[in-house]
Amino acid sequence: MQFSVFARRKALSIAAALVATAFGASVALPALAATQLTGAGSSFDYPLFSKAFYEYGQHHNDVTVNYQSIGSGGGIQQFTAKTVDFGASDVPLNTEEYKRAEAAGGKVLQIPIALGGVAVVYNLPGVTQGLRLSGPVIADIYLGKIAKWDDAAIAKLNPKVKLPSEPIVVVHRSDGSGTSYIFTDYLSSVSPEWKSKVGVGKSVQWPAQNSVGGKGNEGIAGQVRETAGAIGYVELAYALQNSMTYAQLENSARAFVSPTVNSVRAAAASKPNVSPADFSIVNRPGAASYPIAGYSWVMVFAKPSDAARGKQIKEVLEWTVTAGQSIAASLDYVPLPANVQQEAKRVLGQMQL
C-alpha cells in the first residue's frame, strides 16, 4: 500500500504526540501542510514552476502549490471558472477574456512571472545542430509553401549542409497555447502573407497540409523527437534539457543567433518596460537578440473571496518573481530583469486582503 507524504507526516505527528504524553514532555511538532494552492495554464512555465514551487515548499511547510500544465488557453478558462487560485499564460488576457474573468471574480491583476525563448527544433537525420533559418522561410514552411528540406530557400541559407530530399512534417500545438501566440506573433512580424492569411493567436488554423498537432510543449517535443523530417517550436528549456536539435534564426540585424539565455536576455533588454497592454518582444533590434522571446504572465483576482488564501497566493508569487528567479538560469530561463521584478511586486501590492 502506498502512503502519501501527508499521511506519513500525520502518522509521525500522532506518534510523537503519544510519546510526549507518555513522558510528560512538551514536543514542538512540525507544522503540516495546511493549504494546497492550485494553478493551471502555460506549459512554457512548467519546468520553472515545478522547481520553484518545490523550493518554496521546502521553506514554507504550511503551503504547497499544485500546478497543472494544460496550456495557456486552458489556464485562462480554469481561472475564469474560479476552479484554480491563479492562471498562467504566455500572453496577457485579451479584452474579451478580461471581461469574462472580471465578471466572474472582479478586477484581475496580471503579473510577469517568467522570461524565455521559443526554439525552432527539428529532426533531420544527418543534419546536426546549427541549421540556419530565416523568419520568411519558417513562415513559408508553416504556410505549406516549402514542403521539402532541400528546398532552394533552405539550401541558400545553408550552402555547406547536405540537405536530404525529405518531406517536412510541420508540428504545431493542438491546444490553446501562449507559446503559439509568441510564435505566430513572430511569424506575423516577418511575413506579411502569414499576417494576412493566418495572423496571431493562441489557436490558429494551421495551413500546411503535412502537419500534426501536439498538446503542450511536451507534446510538440515528443512529436518532433519521434518523427523524422519534423519541425516544431518549443520553449527553450524543453529544447535544451531534452538535448533537441534547434535552428539558428536570422534576427532583425541579419545575424544568425542561437536560442540561449543570453540571446533572450538581449531581446528583453531592448524593451525594458512591458505591461499587459504592451508586451511583445519578438523580432527585437540588436545583433545579439534572439527573435522569438516572450514573457509569461500570472493572473490573480485583486480581491480573492478567501482573504487568508489570497495572502498565501500573494506571498508565493512575490517570492517567485524575486528570490525564486535565482532558479531560472539553472533551467534555461532568463531571470526577470530587476525593473520587471519591481513592477510585478507593485502589481501584487494591489491585492486587497
Side-chain angles (χ1 to χ4, degrees), residues 270-296:
S270 72
K271 186 171 182 174
N273 298 312
V274 292
S275 71
D278 183 15
F279 54 86
S280 175
I281 57 170
V282 301
N283 209 31
R284 297 296 300 170
S289 295
Y290 183 68
I292 319 182
Y295 286 92
S296 194

Side-chain angles (χ1 to χ4, degrees), residues 122 124-128 130-133 137 146 148-168:
Y122 59 91
L124 196 53
V127 180
T128 56
L131 190 69
R132 291 183 166 188
L133 296 174
V137 165
I146 294 177
K148 286 197 171 185
W149 280 106
D150 63 348
D151 187 276
I154 301 176
K156 184 177 180 180
L157 296 173
N158 300 274
K160 296 181 180 180
V161 179
K162 186 177 180 180
L163 296 165
S165 184
E166 296 290 336
I168 299 174

